[in-house]
Amino acid sequence: MAGKQAVFVRPATPADLHVLVTLNAIVQALHVRLEPDEFKAEVDAAELRAFFASLLDKPENDLLIAEQSAEPVGYLWYELQERPPTVLTQARRRIYIQDIAVREPARRAGVATALLRAVEAAATALQVDRLVLDAWTRNEEALRFFQGRGFRPFNVVLAKALR
């Protein structure tokens, strides 16, 4: 399945909802491992399917599927975010990458890079010049990957547990 096979990235369709649910388990498991107090270990598949279906109906959201040999091996969810100017801030138009996941056997084969390139192409088509995402500080592999593709820290979110 994996290896250095060609990666094809395409928009997700309603026929892919089961694939999105399956691939999301990769991200959810990581989130639960890193922040168990914030994320649910068990996610209702029907609710998640409905959630992804609702995203497909929102023009500001897009879901991409990466395939190798016609088999889904990864996905990426991004959102076009637009904010009007305020007295304190400039108008903002950016793409925020919500999730990216690649099946373990397909990692280090260009899948995530192909997904990011597809988002960059979409941003260019939309005349958006900024991609934004967040990654857990303890997820060193993701941080290395994203920084290796030109992402740089611009904001640090700090948390303090009060219990």
Side-chain angles (χ1 to χ4, degrees):
M1 169 177 79
K4 288 292 184 182
Q5 301 171 26
V7 179
F8 176 68
V9 176
R10 62 175 176 77
T13 69
D16 294 311
L17 291 172
H18 68 287
V19 170
L20 292 165
V21 168
T22 300
L23 291 170
N24 177 265
I26 298 165
V27 174
Q28 191 67 18
L30 175 66
H31 288 171
V32 169
R33 183 171 56 81
L34 295 176
E35 292 293 333
D37 293 337
E38 296 288 327
F39 293 92
K40 295 179 179 180
E42 298 293 324
V43 176
D44 181 272
E47 286 181 26
L48 185 56
R49 184 181 174 100
F51 172 75
F52 280 126
S54 74
L55 291 178
L56 290 173
D57 289 334
K58 295 178 180 173
E60 69 275 10
N61 285 275
D62 206 354
L63 294 153
L64 303 174
I65 301 286
E67 296 177 332
Q68 287 180 318
S69 301
E71 182 175 343
V73 293
Y75 90 103
L76 187 147
W77 162 28
Y78 71 87
E79 177 184 7
L80 174 63
Q81 296 179 336
E82 298 183 272
R83 179 183 71 191
T86 70
V87 67
L88 298 173
T89 62
Q90 303 290 341
R92 179 179 73 196
R93 195 159 189 266
R94 67 185 192 177
I95 286 182
Y96 186 86
I97 298 171
Q98 298 281 358
D99 277 350
I100 184 169
V102 176
R103 292 179 192 230
E104 187 68 39
R107 291 192 182 159
R108 291 173 188 72
V111 174
T113 299
L115 286 163
L116 286 178
R117 286 186 181 138
V119 174
E120 290 172 2
T124 299
L126 293 167
Q127 299 181 349
V128 172
D129 60 5
R130 188 164 199 188
L131 299 181
V132 179
L133 57 80
D134 63 73
W136 301 102
T137 57
R138 295 186 320 203
N139 191 350
E140 294 174 5
E141 181 180 2
L143 291 171
R144 278 192 306 276
F145 171 78
F146 292 123
Q147 289 178 358
R149 276 131 196 98
F151 288 84
R152 298 288 176 254
F154 74 97
N155 184 34
V156 176
V157 177
L158 304 174
K160 178 181 178 181
L162 297 177
R163 53 182 158 90

